[in-house]
Amino acid sequence: GGNPAGGRLAAGKPALAGRSDAGGLHGHPFAPASVSIFPLTQLQLDDAGEPWLLLFVELQDRWGDPVKATGWLTVFLEPERPDVDRSEHEARWDIDLTDASINSALFDPVTRTYRVQLGGLPDRAAPMAERSEQRLGGGKPDGQRSRLRLRAMFRTLDASGDRQEFCSTCDVES
């Protein structure tokens, strides 16, 4: 039984034979180790002119490669003003990725991210979405710049059943 890559690693990554840290090769070596809001995330308008957010969230293993995983994804829209208590949020969405059919339906194999459509945005998102759509269509927006600050939190269980939590923050600008 030789290496199917002819003695070389196909992905060009170093061999980790016998390594057992962070879950080890016998636990869940490709379990998520981080979450990030992918740069494709954008505001859009639906047919009725209501804003919604097309969110792309990537889970990465300890080597930085994208992975699928079961767990709970919570996305927060942070308050517009920085002086507001961080425990307050303008909006919150909870996505249960423990259900295999939901998990599979939300995973985009092309980008290797979870692709989620989020509605219920505050009123300030509507003009931002209009500017985003103008840019995407090649138009010239009004020159104003605004942002939505998102925070994604992914919670899962490791091989020992201990809770793991990873967070990421991203600004979506228009």
Side-chain angles (χ1 to χ4, degrees):
N3 182 341
R8 294 186 311 238
L9 293 174
K13 302 221 175 175
L16 296 172
R19 188 170 171 175
S20 62
D21 60 331
L25 296 178
H26 305 292
H28 295 287
F30 303 110
S34 68
V35 62
S36 63
I37 300 171
F38 211 61
L40 290 174
T41 298
Q42 59 188 278
L43 284 166
Q44 296 185 345
L45 293 172
D46 66 14
D47 292 339
E50 294 295 315
W52 57 280
L53 186 68
L54 181 57
L55 175 73
F56 292 85
V57 174
E58 180 181 56
L59 301 176
Q60 293 181 339
D61 65 15
R62 65 183 177 171
W63 292 280
D65 294 324
V67 296
K68 289 173 82 170
T70 58
W72 301 269
L73 176 64
T74 302
V75 181
F76 302 97
L77 176 59
E78 300 290 346
E80 184 176 16
R81 295 183 8 235
D83 60 330
V84 174
D85 182 4
R86 288 194 46 86
S87 65
E88 295 182 28
H89 309 287
E90 283 190 77
R92 174 184 171 146
W93 299 271
D94 294 297
I95 301 109
D96 183 357
L97 295 176
T98 62
D99 181 305
S101 61
I102 292 172
N103 189 307
S104 182
L106 293 177
F107 191 78
D108 179 24
V110 174
T111 62
R112 301 190 49 82
T113 64
Y114 289 94
R115 183 180 188 267
V116 184
Q117 297 178 5
L118 303 173
L121 296 169
D123 292 340
R124 69 184 179 97
M128 295 174 66
E130 288 173 17
R131 286 193 295 273
S132 292
E133 296 236 333
Q134 287 172 352
R135 275 192 191 84
L136 288 173
K140 193 166 190 160
D142 58 17
Q144 293 183 7
R145 301 293 284 176
S146 301
R147 70 173 173 82
L148 293 177
R149 173 152 292 174
L150 300 173
R151 185 163 50 97
M153 179 174 55
F154 183 74
R155 297 177 317 279
T156 191
L157 301 177
D158 67 11
S160 303
D162 295 328
R163 183 177 167 169
Q164 298 288 309
E165 186 174 290
F166 311 104
C167 290
S168 174
T169 303
C170 175
D171 288 340
V172 177
E173 297 186 358
S174 70

